[in-house]
Amino acid sequence: MATYDAAMRAALGLARAALDTGDVPVGAVVLDPAGSVIGTGRNVREADADPTGHAEVAALRAAAGARGEWRLDGCTLVVTLEPCTMCAGAAVLARVERLVFGAYDEKAGAVGSLWDVVRDRRLNHRPEVVAGVLADESTALLEEFFGTHR
């Protein structure tokens, strides 16, 4: 089984950059089938006043642009926090092969915590899920952020 530590570290770097704009520190990268980064994103909801400005959406858009098509067959989405319903749905619609995440999100997670959108048998595509990659680092970054915003 492949390890996604390097990709998750890249996503964590993007998450830290979100702190500069007051956004929740979430970062994401998309890997092509060979393991090269073809898309990156971080939360920009606050920076761009965009309710869809989630790291996963930004990374998927960048990857689709790099590929010149919306289907991301064979690609892996790596994100520091378990995706919400919007982002889990976007991963399914983009046809990513695999979804890798760090920290679980008990309040809004849609990859097993609160919902399980990506493994819903009624959908026509279900990516493989790899959970808990560098979860401690992802959780610590989020706890630091929310500790200063409460």
Side-chain angles (χ1 to χ4, degrees):
M1 181 173 162
T3 178
Y4 297 100
D5 288 7
M8 187 62 75
R9 289 191 198 293
L12 282 163
L14 292 161
R16 286 184 194 92
L19 292 170
D20 296 337
T21 60
D23 279 286
V24 176
V26 178
V29 300
V30 176
L31 306 174
D32 70 9
S36 298
V37 175
I38 60 168
T40 64
R42 64 176 177 81
N43 274 4
V44 291
R45 285 191 328 169
E46 299 297 329
D48 293 354
D50 179 0
T52 67
H54 290 206
E56 301 94 324
V57 171
L60 291 169
R61 285 179 179 156
R67 277 194 140 183
E69 64 178 321
W70 63 267
R71 286 181 187 85
L72 298 178
D73 298 320
C75 292
T76 300
L77 173 61
V78 179
V79 60
T80 58
L81 180 64
E82 178 183 3
C84 68
T85 53
M86 174 181 70
C87 295
V92 169
L93 293 172
R95 309 293 196 273
V96 297
E97 182 174 322
R98 186 173 304 100
L99 173 58
V100 177
F101 69 90
Y104 282 91
D105 185 350
E106 299 297 328
K107 292 183 179 178
V111 186
S113 287
L114 192 55
W115 296 284
D116 201 349
V117 171
V118 299
R119 288 178 280 224
D120 189 318
R121 294 210 171 272
R122 295 169 292 183
L123 298 175
N124 66 343
H125 178 75
R126 290 179 297 281
E128 173 190 353
V129 175
V130 179
V133 176
L134 301 182
D136 291 343
E137 289 91 330
S138 296
T139 300
L141 186 58
L142 290 161
E143 286 175 348
E144 177 185 334
F145 173 81
F146 285 111
T148 62
H149 286 81
R150 289 191 176 137

